[in-house]
Amino acid sequence: MTDATRQQQAGVGSKPKERRRLVIGALLLLMITIGYIDRINVSAAGPLVKQDLGLSDGQLGILYSAFFWGYAALMVPGGWLIDRVGKHVVLPLAVLAWSLVAALSALAQNLTVLLGFRVVLGATESPAYPSGNLVIREWAPLTERGLFTSLMQIGSLVGPALATAPAAWLASTVGWRWAFVFLSATGLVWLVAWMLLYRPPERVRWLTERERAYILAERDHTTPGRQPGAPVSQISVPVSVPVSVPVSVPMSVPTLIRQRSMLGILAANGAQTYVVYFLLTWLPTYLVTAKHLQLPRSGLITSSMYGIAIVGAVLLGWLSDRFLSLRKEQALRGRRRFVIAVLMLAGLLPLVLTTWIDGLAMLVITIAITLMAVTTSITLTFALTNDLIIDNASSGRTFGLVSFGGQVIGLLAPIVTGFVVQASGFGPVFLVTGAVLLAGVLAMLLLPNRPLQPQAGQPSAVPA
């Protein structure tokens, strides 16, 4: 049965009551959650690792950053591999590999070996977001992209919220090495569930025909005027679209980098990622060193910050889909970027104020607000990228490049913070991080306002 036949027989005229498609959103959430559990294990046990291996603050910052070296280096090649081999092959193999590497890192006896394991761990996790975004393109109707992307991105909060306190407790009780082993087992459990439940919506058996037809009809709106099942090159542009729409041709990485929209997305995502990685890596150590908490309590406080941020991020993701209703031409002009910039500013103010906050309760609130706002802005940045993509054939490398840009800037956060702390203490680090975020706000406002698509010949200028 063809997609068109399914849609006709199922009567795709209204949104179905069934929402079984959210099973895929939940699996993506759990996948990112597990990835973050394995990447935060070293920061949750940071003070113990520092003591056991005899590290300085600068060396600890380098260790915190090592994961992101491999993650960034394999991001674009990983996107290319996903385009060539397919997400259905790359994603489960990646989860299996990173779970094994996370467990094996417990064998490290010195900084050099542990750095090597962390680099490899980052490399094996690099396909997670590009693959997940392609699953969203495959499963999410246009009006639910924000929700699906939010569910996946929320994993970056759920992981630290669920794992930081247990990881800190395990590290204090049985040692940081055994903590690494126990936490890594979660990936294998997820892998079994994914292999049992995931198929493309055209083939999966647990969808109703009505919901299947709705997904297939509503997901394919990245090209203006394109009918479901029609070739990408058959573009019919309504006269009201105030953009130049080129004929769809495959995008190379160099071509993407030359586009102003991609440059804006890369800069903004880099600033967002810098903030997230600063908090992800240094927050437990900050609480132990600057606020004089015991390691188990620092883990509990860190988990509570991320837990509060989860609630707010879910709410913001839902509100973005409910009230940010974009027509196709608005999506192609990057209208979503204004909401992203507001969210980044909402995270900037409490982040900077943290420099002068002494009370623990207020500290929890301010950092939770920053996490909530910045994480949601990352979610919508990927949704914005989805909005601006016309060429489905190169979408894997597009998402890989966006993630790579975030990592290149974000991986500097642990290193810069480590040497700032070594030189001046924790006082200046929140101001430095705030300045990076402000630069990202300006890039988001000024640059991503046209489709991510190269021109093949002369574009068709469409008057407003």
Side-chain angles (χ1 to χ4, degrees), residues 98-176:
W98 89 53
S99 299
L100 295 176
V101 172
L104 290 172
S105 62
L107 300 174
Q109 297 297 320
N110 56 57
L111 175 60
T112 301
V113 176
L114 188 54
L115 280 173
F117 275 119
R118 295 295 294 179
V119 171
V120 176
L121 179 65
T124 55
E125 285 200 25
S126 63
Y129 275 106
S131 297
N133 277 295
L134 290 182
V135 172
I136 290 172
R137 287 183 68 79
E138 179 181 60
W139 272 87
L142 178 64
T143 56
E144 295 180 4
R145 278 184 187 165
L147 174 61
F148 271 74
T149 313
S150 293
L151 284 172
M152 184 173 70
Q153 185 62 37
I154 288 298
S156 66
L157 298 176
V158 176
L162 291 181
T164 306
W169 178 81
L170 280 170
S172 300
T173 304
V174 300
W176 61 269

Side-chain angles (χ1 to χ4, degrees), residues 1 38 77 81 94 98 126 130 133 166 176 202-203 207 211 213 223 257 267 321 349 377 414 435 440 447 452:
M1 185 182 297
D38 287 330
L81 182 65
W98 89 53
S126 63
N133 277 295
W176 61 269
E202 294 91 337
R203 293 167 41 209
L207 280 177
E211 186 175 9
T223 302
I257 293 175
D321 271 338
L349 180 60
S377 75
L447 296 177
L452 285 170

Side-chain angles (χ1 to χ4, degrees), residues 389-439:
I389 290 175
I390 293 176
D391 172 32
N392 287 319
S394 52
S395 53
R397 73 197 69 173
T398 302
F399 286 118
L401 181 59
V402 173
S403 297
F404 172 77
Q407 304 314 308
V408 168
I409 300 175
L411 66 81
L412 297 175
I415 299 174
V416 171
T417 302
F419 285 103
V420 170
V421 170
Q422 188 168 304
S424 306
F426 277 97
V429 294
F430 291 97
L431 297 176
V432 172
T433 307
V436 173
L437 187 58
L438 180 60

